[in-house]
């Protein structure tokens, strides 16, 4: 019997031991960014795009392959006196020759394809790193909020049990119990909402890192180091020069200019030139051989290339309009993000680093003194609620400041220039 009880206790302890062993070590946000950039499967797509563009570039500047033409037939000569049959064949080796400048334009277009593919990878890596930083910070901040809400809810539940055991008489104690119960429900609701946000952030973060969706993760979050934002004109200048979308649009416009020149160049047809030889053999006559150089080119009667030039020029106008619209949109985004960042950064500067700890200590102090009868019910409930509201406001401000700073860094092409999370 004793051995059975011991075995049962060991079996019951195994899941707890496994859970303890499976609990991950806290990871810094910078470490999560590095692991995501190394393991994200979508990065392979952009790398393959670059490889494809480089493969196209390797053949864009080459001449077309030479063409070999062979003909074999029967040579028959008939007249009134004789009839002779023999072998006849011809061979021709021709090389298509492009018009001068055409290969250079094709290489230039292919080079822009490589540049745009590399810009696409750079932009995706920056956006991915920024998204991981926001998700990791949100996960940790919402976990803190959920813990604080659970702490307050537990405090309310413990107090309610004490008040119910006293068998209160009269309307005032009953109303106090109802107040405690309502406040506990509100705290539990906040904890549940924060828990949902934590799970959503965890699922997306695991997806970006290429891990199982339910893989556990603990984020080690430090205080934010928010630097003052530069002047608006400086930010706009950096954005016009370094923003990934604008760089892509400028590369597309430049490439479209090459396509216009190529369309104009292709109005002049390529020609084919090469040697040929013809041999005719009969039984009664000597062999006859003809050798020479042939040249051929299409006659632009039905397709003269004007439609292709018009189409390329229209695409160029569209690229110019797209670039202008993108510039205006970037100006708006930079101004909006700067205003949000300055507002949230000013709020962060007012709060001290121990603000959450101070509110937590005040809520715990109110709980102890309320049990002793030194603090009224209204003060106790107010401090608990304000503690949760303060934690929620601080974390919300920090998250909004982080998002605005990362947006500004992406717009100006300057990672790590405005805000960092200390480990």
């Amino acid at each position: 019997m004793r051995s059975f009880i011991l075995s049962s206790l060991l079996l019951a302890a195994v899941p707890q031991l496994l859970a303890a062993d499976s609990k991950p070590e806290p990871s810094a946000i910078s470490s999560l960014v590095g692991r995501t950039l190394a393991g994200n499967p979508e990065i392979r797509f952009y790398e393959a795009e670059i490889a494809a563009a480089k493969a196209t570039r390797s053949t864009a500047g080459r001449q077309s392959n030479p063409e070999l033409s062979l003909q074999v037939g029967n040579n028959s000569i008939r007249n009134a006196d004789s009839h002779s049959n023999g072998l006849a064949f011809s061979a021709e080796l021709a090389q298509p020759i492009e018009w001068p400048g055409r290969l250079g334009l094709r290489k230039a277009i292919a080079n822009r394809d490589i540049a745009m593919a590399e810009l696409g990878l750079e932009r995706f890596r920056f956006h991915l790193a920024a998204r991981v930083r926001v998700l990791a910070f949100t996960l940790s901040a919402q976990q803190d909020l959920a813990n604080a809400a659970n702490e307050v809810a537990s405090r309310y539940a413990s107090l309610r049990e004490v008040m119910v055991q006293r068998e209160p008489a009269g309307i005032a104690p009953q109303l106090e119990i109802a107040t405690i119960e309502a406040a506990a429900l509100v705290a539990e609701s906040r904890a549940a909402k924060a828990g949902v946000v934590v799970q959503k952030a965890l699922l997306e973060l695991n997806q970006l890192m290429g891990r199982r969706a339910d893989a556990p993760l603990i984020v080690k979050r430090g205080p934010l180091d928010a630097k003052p934002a530069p002047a608006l004109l400086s930010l706009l200048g950096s954005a016009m020069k370094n923003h990934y979308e604008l760089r892509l649009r400028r590369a597309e416009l430049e490439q479209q200019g090459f396509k216009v020149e190529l369309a104009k160049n292709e109005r002049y047809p390529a020609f084919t030139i090469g040697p040929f030889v013809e041999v005719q053999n009969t039984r009664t006559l000597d062999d006859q051989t003809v050798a020479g150089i042939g040249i051929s080119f299409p006659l632009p009667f039905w397709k003269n290339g004007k439609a292709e030039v018009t189409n390329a020029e229209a695409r160029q106008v569209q690229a110019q309009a797209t670039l202008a619209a993108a510039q205006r949109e970037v100006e708006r985004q930079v101004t909006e993000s700067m205003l949000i960042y300055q507002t949230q950064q000013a709020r962060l500067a007012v709060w001290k680093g121990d603000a959450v700890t101070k509110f937590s200590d005040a809520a715990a102090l109110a709980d102890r003194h309320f049990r002793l009868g030194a603090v009224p019910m209204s003060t106790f409930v107010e401090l608990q609620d304000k503690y949760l509201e303060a934690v929620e406001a601080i974390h919300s401000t920090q998250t909004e400041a982080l998002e605005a700073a990362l947006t500004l860094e992406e717009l100006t092409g300057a990672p790590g220039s405005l805000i960092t999370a200390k480990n």
Side-chain angles (χ1 to χ4, degrees):
M1 183 66 178
R2 181 179 300 175
S3 61
F4 175 77
I5 296 176
L6 182 59
S7 300
S8 301
L9 292 176
L10 289 175
L11 289 174
V14 167
Q16 298 181 357
L17 292 175
L18 292 176
D21 293 339
S22 63
K23 187 175 181 180
E25 293 292 330
S27 300
I29 294 179
S30 58
S31 174
L32 295 177
V33 171
R35 289 160 59 184
T36 302
L37 294 178
N40 184 266
E42 197 170 349
I43 290 181
R44 309 286 93 77
F45 170 83
Y46 291 92
E47 292 175 346
E49 190 74 16
I50 294 174
K54 289 182 177 179
T56 303
R57 164 63 179 80
S58 65
T59 59
R62 298 179 184 177
Q63 291 280 0
S64 300
N65 290 328
E67 300 173 358
L68 177 63
S69 176
L70 298 174
Q71 295 179 354
V72 179
N74 181 46
N75 183 23
S76 178
I77 299 177
R78 297 176 183 271
N79 54 36
D81 299 329
S82 65
H83 171 250
S84 177
N85 293 325
L87 178 65
F89 72 90
S90 65
E92 180 181 3
L93 180 64
Q95 172 64 55
I97 304 298
E98 299 285 356
W99 200 261
R102 189 170 301 174
L103 297 180
L105 289 171
R106 289 175 180 169
K107 287 193 292 185
I109 292 173
N111 286 332
R112 297 308 176 277
D113 285 334
I114 295 175
M116 288 189 292
E118 290 174 345
L119 274 175
L121 175 60
E122 185 180 352
R123 177 179 61 176
F124 177 74
R125 288 176 62 87
F126 191 105
H127 179 75
L128 182 62
R131 185 59 182 163
V132 169
R133 292 173 66 182
V134 171
L135 287 173
F137 191 90
T138 301
L139 189 151
S140 180
Q142 291 297 318
Q143 184 64 58
D144 289 348
L145 177 59
N147 292 337
N150 286 324
E151 176 188 356
V152 171
S154 176
R155 193 173 291 158
Y156 281 140
S158 175
L159 183 60
R160 179 188 177 281
E161 292 178 359
V162 173
M163 296 178 66
V164 170
Q165 291 176 359
R166 294 176 181 175
E167 297 182 359
I171 190 63
Q174 295 179 8
L175 292 178
E176 289 181 351
I177 293 176
T179 301
I180 294 296
E181 291 176 345
L185 288 175
V186 173
E188 291 171 356
S189 176
R190 285 180 173 174
K193 290 180 179 179
V196 170
V197 176
V198 168
Q199 291 302 318
K200 288 182 177 180
L202 178 61
L203 292 175
E204 185 176 354
L205 194 56
N206 281 331
Q207 179 186 13
L208 294 178
M209 296 174 64
R211 307 197 314 163
R212 281 180 46 185
D214 60 344
L217 181 65
I218 299 177
V219 178
K220 182 171 61 176
R221 182 184 93 254
L224 290 178
D225 182 15
K227 304 178 182 64
L232 178 59
L233 290 178
S234 176
L235 291 174
L236 289 175
S238 298
M240 292 299 107
K241 180 180 178 182
N242 301 321
H243 183 46
Y244 296 109
E245 188 70 22
L246 296 183
R247 291 164 64 187
L248 279 172
R249 294 290 173 260
R250 283 193 289 267
E252 289 177 355
L253 179 59
E254 188 177 4
Q255 184 187 54
Q256 197 59 46
F258 290 130
K259 289 183 178 180
V260 171
E261 296 300 322
L262 179 61
K264 292 179 179 179
N265 186 285
E266 288 180 341
R267 293 180 61 187
Y268 304 99
F271 57 93
T272 303
I273 187 172
F276 71 92
V277 59
E278 294 182 1
V279 178
Q280 296 181 1
N281 177 271
T282 62
R283 297 176 182 176
T284 59
L285 300 177
D286 295 334
D287 293 347
Q288 183 181 3
T289 302
V290 178
I293 295 179
I295 183 171
S296 65
F297 53 88
L299 298 177
F301 286 163
W302 320 124
K303 292 184 179 181
N304 55 15
K306 291 183 179 180
E308 287 75 10
V309 173
T310 302
N311 179 54
E313 290 176 343
R315 298 298 182 189
Q316 186 180 30
V317 172
Q318 288 180 333
Q320 291 172 343
T322 302
L323 175 60
Q327 289 175 338
R328 292 193 296 270
E329 177 64 17
V330 168
E331 289 179 357
R332 183 194 64 80
Q333 292 178 356
V334 168
T335 305
E336 179 182 348
S337 299
M338 188 202 69
L339 293 176
I340 295 175
Y341 177 71
Q342 287 182 337
T343 301
Q344 304 302 344
Q345 196 236 358
R347 294 176 62 187
L348 290 176
V350 174
W351 298 331
K352 296 181 179 179
D354 60 345
V356 174
T357 303
K358 182 180 67 175
F359 291 126
S360 176
D361 293 342
L365 183 64
D367 177 53
R368 290 195 300 270
H369 283 76
F370 175 71
R371 295 173 185 271
L372 296 174
V375 172
M377 167 72 71
S378 58
T379 302
F380 166 70
V381 174
E382 185 73 12
L383 273 175
Q384 307 306 313
D385 291 344
K386 293 304 179 184
Y387 165 48
L388 293 182
E389 291 176 2
V391 173
E392 188 173 8
I394 290 174
H395 290 333
S396 175
T397 300
Q398 290 176 339
T399 304
E400 291 179 8
L402 178 62
E403 290 179 343
L406 293 176
T407 300
L408 273 178
E409 291 179 4
E410 183 174 3
L411 290 170
T412 57
S417 60
L418 289 177
I419 195 166
T420 55
K422 299 178 180 178
N423 296 328

